[in-house]
Amino acid sequence: MKHVLLGGLIALLLTGCSKLNRENYDKLQMGISYTQASSILGKAERCDDTLGTTSCIWGNEGKNIKIRFIADKATYFSSEGIN
């Protein structure tokens, strides 16, 4: 029983410490680099490179932040499920 409670507490703390929130989204600016975005949001879950464009996603299907980089500069970003 103690292990279940401890696991639940850890999961709750990790959820509360998520970097995927409105405050961090509002820190993003056009032209920031991947390194700068990562310092705000942590490491991206996935990045895909296509024809000189890098598209990265932080989070999952229901709650995420997406940023598109050209020449390591953010040109577009969006969010889903971020309050």
Side-chain angles (χ1 to χ4, degrees), residues 29-46:
Q29 299 177 353
M30 292 297 192
I32 66 170
S33 68
Y34 173 81
T35 302
Q36 291 169 311
S38 295
S39 71
I40 296 168
L41 302 172
K43 185 177 183 231
E45 269 64 45
R46 186 180 80 236

Side-chain angles (χ1 to χ4, degrees), residues 19 23-44 56 58 65 67-75 77:
K19 292 186 173 192
E23 180 181 343
N24 284 339
Y25 182 79
D26 290 342
K27 291 178 185 177
L28 301 175
Q29 299 177 353
M30 292 297 192
I32 66 170
S33 68
Y34 173 81
T35 302
Q36 291 169 311
S38 295
S39 71
I40 296 168
L41 302 172
K43 185 177 183 231
C56 297
W58 285 261
I65 294 175
I67 305 177
R68 181 180 309 135
F69 299 92
I70 296 177
D72 196 36
K73 301 292 181 200
T75 59
F77 48 92

